[in-house]
Amino acid sequence: MFKETLTEHDDVIGLVCEGKLSEDDFERMHTLIHERLSQGGRPGLLLDLTKFEGYGNASALLEDLKIDTAHTNDFSRVAVVGERSWMEWGTRMVNLLARSEMRWFDSSEEVDAVEWVQKGKKA
């Protein structure tokens, strides 16, 4: 499942992903992203993957890739929060492909991640 957080910040979309996400989860997430982007501007994105366990099946992975490719240039910055060292490596790899500046943060650095994402709007 996923849930939206940071709703008090117009300039940041915050998403927390927990457990294994399904294709339906990603479809609902994509709808939410479209709704938030339709408000104008180029917000930051904060993804909290601390409790993310992966994909429910291959179609969920494909739906996630659709979101990634559809929105490569829609965010000012993307912060990924998590505890696993492979997330840092993965964020670096995706950063090579994305047009948004991306950075990985440890789960203890969530406040820093929000501040970093917001500074992208002012830069």
Side-chain angles (χ1 to χ4, degrees):
M1 87 163 198
F2 83 94
K3 61 184 173 185
E4 183 180 16
T5 61
L6 306 174
T7 55
E8 68 279 4
H9 298 277
D10 291 337
D11 56 348
V12 179
I13 299 171
L15 299 172
V16 174
C17 300
E18 297 178 347
K20 290 193 175 200
L21 271 60
S22 67
E23 180 180 7
D24 183 58
D25 289 324
F26 284 106
E27 288 172 352
R28 288 185 297 109
M29 185 186 300
H30 205 172
T31 299
L32 172 71
I33 290 170
H34 276 283
E35 288 172 4
R36 291 292 308 277
L37 290 173
S38 71
Q39 298 171 6
R42 209 168 154 237
L45 176 65
L46 186 134
L47 292 172
D48 184 339
L49 301 179
T50 305
K51 296 181 181 178
F52 178 61
E53 297 175 4
Y55 302 96
N57 54 36
S59 61
L61 171 62
L62 290 174
E63 194 62 32
D64 186 19
L65 291 173
K66 283 184 195 176
I67 294 171
D68 294 345
T69 57
H71 299 289
T72 58
N73 198 32
D74 289 342
F75 302 106
S76 58
R77 287 183 167 179
V78 178
V80 179
V81 177
E83 293 182 1
R84 296 179 201 91
S85 60
W86 64 266
M87 284 189 194
E88 182 174 14
W89 178 85
T91 301
R92 287 181 184 166
M93 291 300 293
V94 172
N95 201 21
L96 296 174
L97 303 173
R99 295 180 186 166
S100 302
E101 185 178 3
M102 294 185 77
R103 185 170 159 197
W104 176 83
F105 293 85
D106 187 76
S107 61
S108 64
E109 302 173 308
E110 184 173 354
V111 171
D112 296 331
V114 172
E115 290 175 3
W116 180 80
V117 167
Q118 287 181 309
K119 285 181 183 175
K121 290 295 296 175
K122 298 171 182 126

